[in-house]
Amino acid sequence: MTPETGTIVSPTLATLLHTDLSMLVTALWYEIDHGDGAAAAGFFTADAELTFSRRTFRGTEEISGVYRDRTARGPRVSRHLMSNFHVLRHGNGSVEAVSALVLYAQDGTPPVPTTVPVLIADVYDRFVRTTATGEHTGRWRIASRRIENRFLMPGDVLAVPTE
């Protein structure tokens, strides 16, 4: 039984849920690091909210715009390292989770000189199960993502708008 929902969850189901969602999160970070986020909006629901510090972007068009604007600034090397993925609550086709994010990033082309992360944050995600037209089974998408900075290098400018 989970304290958050009061429902009985089999260990197998909990493991599958954890695996599916942590794989979705790592696939999104991979897309941002290796594809400049061009397909990042596809990981979100149409009405999703993406919040960096105090700046929120609503819907897939605004989310796509974040990554288009970042790409327009020129080459950037980034590696988003996700760990400590933990499911907080689940039920009725919705899951809330938190993970730790360590970001190494710098403008330019590889290799770029850097030795410390520019950001360490907690990432709070709310996932929902969706079924798109033509899909036979549902798939998890991010309905809400909030990135809360825990450590930020003084003077560093993040590639996404935070204010």
Side-chain angles (χ1 to χ4, degrees):
M1 182 175 298
T2 65
E4 295 87 358
T5 64
T7 58
I8 296 173
V9 178
S10 74
T12 303
L13 181 59
T15 299
L16 288 172
L17 181 66
H18 185 277
T19 300
D20 282 354
L21 297 177
S22 62
M23 286 177 63
L24 179 128
V25 170
T26 55
L28 173 57
W29 291 131
Y30 182 88
E31 162 55 30
I32 293 167
D33 289 340
H34 295 275
D36 292 328
F43 289 81
F44 293 86
T45 61
D47 60 348
E49 290 188 349
L50 172 59
T51 302
F52 300 101
S53 296
R54 292 183 291 269
R55 182 85 186 267
T56 299
F57 300 89
R58 291 177 175 83
T60 52
E61 187 54 39
E62 283 188 15
I63 292 169
S64 289
V66 168
Y67 296 104
R68 276 194 311 270
D69 291 349
R70 213 281 341 122
T71 300
R73 288 184 33 219
R76 184 167 177 86
V77 179
S78 68
R79 290 299 179 266
H80 294 77
L81 309 177
M82 186 274 293
S83 66
N84 299 350
F85 184 86
H86 185 75
V87 173
L88 300 172
R89 283 180 260 315
H90 60 85
N92 299 326
S94 178
V95 175
E96 293 179 26
V98 63
S99 58
L101 170 65
V102 177
L103 173 60
Y104 291 87
Q106 188 167 333
D107 289 346
T109 55
V112 294
T114 188
T115 57
V116 296
V118 297
L119 169 74
I120 299 173
D122 288 332
V123 179
Y124 294 90
D125 287 313
R126 185 172 54 83
F127 303 92
V128 295
R129 196 91 168 137
T130 63
T131 304
T133 305
E135 287 183 354
H136 297 293
T137 59
R139 110 174 224 223
W140 291 104
R141 287 194 172 84
I142 300 168
S144 158
R145 167 167 275 195
R146 187 177 79 253
I147 300 174
E148 292 186 3
N149 302 339
R150 296 296 177 223
F151 300 93
L152 188 63
M153 287 298 296
D156 272 349
V157 176
L158 297 178
V160 296
T162 58
E163 299 296 323

